[in-house]
Amino acid sequence: MSAEDARHRAESSEARAAAVSGIQELMRRKEEIEAQIKANYDVLESQKGIGMNEPLVDCEGYPRADVDLYQVRTARHNIICLQNDHKAVMKQVEEALHQLHARDKEKQARDVAEAREEARSRSLGSNSPALPQAFAKVNSISPGSPASIAGLQVDDEIVEFGSVNTQNFQSLQNVGSVVQHSEGLQHYSSPEMTVPRDLQESCLQPGPPLGPGRDFLVLCGL
């Protein structure tokens, strides 16, 4: 994960935490309003269960004497105001939950995309071709020899000499047979080598014989 991705994740987590905290505060406010509404309904219930719509005058049109008109009117007013506040808070809760769910959905989609990209990268890495296995190692190089001119170095590991490779190599006689038929050579530098090479792998092919008993390999390069 890059530093930019880590920063983005941290900011996203902080934003989500703030959103959740805001929703929790709204829910507390909602519960407080509901408690206040209930308390005012209890006042109405104590006034002979007069409720929100019962008339406050008797059959002759006079104010009722059996209830506390001031308490009833005050409770009714409070209930109406608190119900409006409750609707406003519930709308805020709904909007906040919608934003939170949208943010979570976006994060989930981003996490899935990142997981797929990571899995794809791992798959590509596991399918990368490995260096071929060597069957011989160069112990020494004569100065000025064709092998030296060709670019061979001490500790180079030979992975292919013409048609000879790890799968079919039995002895140096196989190599001698290939030399007689002027086949090619391919090698790569041993990981333990300390001298840097421009190419991790080089291709060598035989040139014309340079003399009795001399090898005749010259660099062709890849």
Side-chain angles (χ1 to χ4, degrees):
M1 181 187 300
S2 66
E4 181 66 20
D5 291 337
R7 185 184 63 81
H8 183 78
R9 282 180 178 272
E11 291 177 351
S12 178
S13 298
E14 292 176 359
R16 189 183 191 283
V20 172
S21 178
I23 292 173
Q24 291 174 341
E25 181 61 31
L26 289 172
M27 295 301 294
R28 283 192 290 270
R29 174 60 180 155
K30 166 183 168 293
E31 292 172 357
E32 291 175 358
I33 293 173
E34 290 173 347
Q36 293 176 27
I37 291 174
K38 182 180 183 303
N40 281 276
Y41 267 115
D42 290 342
V43 171
L44 296 181
E45 186 64 24
S46 69
Q47 298 296 318
K48 298 184 180 298
I50 195 169
M52 293 289 292
N53 300 312
E54 297 295 332
L56 299 181
V57 296
D58 58 20
C59 59
E60 296 180 356
Y62 292 100
R64 290 177 58 170
D66 59 337
V67 296
D68 187 331
L69 296 179
Y70 176 78
Q71 282 192 347
V72 171
R73 288 193 179 99
T74 300
R76 285 180 174 180
H77 174 76
N78 290 341
I79 289 172
I80 292 172
C81 292
L82 289 168
Q83 286 177 337
N84 290 334
D85 293 343
H86 188 269
K87 290 180 181 178
V89 169
M90 290 304 298
K91 184 177 181 180
Q92 290 179 304
V93 170
E94 181 181 358
E95 292 175 352
L97 287 173
H98 177 74
Q99 293 176 0
L100 179 63
H101 292 160
R103 184 180 291 109
D104 287 346
K105 186 176 181 180
E106 180 182 351
K107 180 179 181 300
Q108 182 181 12
R110 185 169 58 251
D111 290 344
V112 169
E114 291 177 356
R116 288 178 177 174
E117 178 63 22
E118 182 178 355
R120 187 183 70 86
S121 298
R122 289 181 178 177
S123 177
L124 291 176
S126 62
N127 293 331
S128 297
L131 289 174
Q133 187 176 359
F135 66 85
K137 187 174 183 178
V138 178
N139 293 323
S140 64
I141 297 290
S142 298
S145 67
S148 175
I149 296 173
L152 277 175
Q153 299 179 11
V154 173
D155 289 336
D156 276 356
E157 294 181 349
I158 300 174
V159 298
E160 184 176 352
F161 193 96
S163 60
V164 179
N165 53 45
T166 305
Q167 302 297 323
N168 57 23
F169 176 77
Q170 296 178 346
S171 69
L172 290 177
Q173 291 180 355
N174 302 128
V175 178
S177 176
V178 172
V179 171
Q180 291 177 2
H181 291 85
S182 298
E183 297 288 342
L185 172 66
Q186 191 175 22
H187 79 287
Y188 72 94
S189 301
S190 171
E192 290 79 18
M193 290 182 62
T194 57
V195 179
R197 307 288 293 276
D198 292 335
L199 298 176
Q200 189 175 12
E201 295 189 28
S202 296
C203 174
L204 304 174
Q205 80 177 66
L210 300 180
R214 305 283 300 278
D215 68 39
F216 45 96
L217 300 172
V218 293
L219 178 68
C220 77
L222 282 178

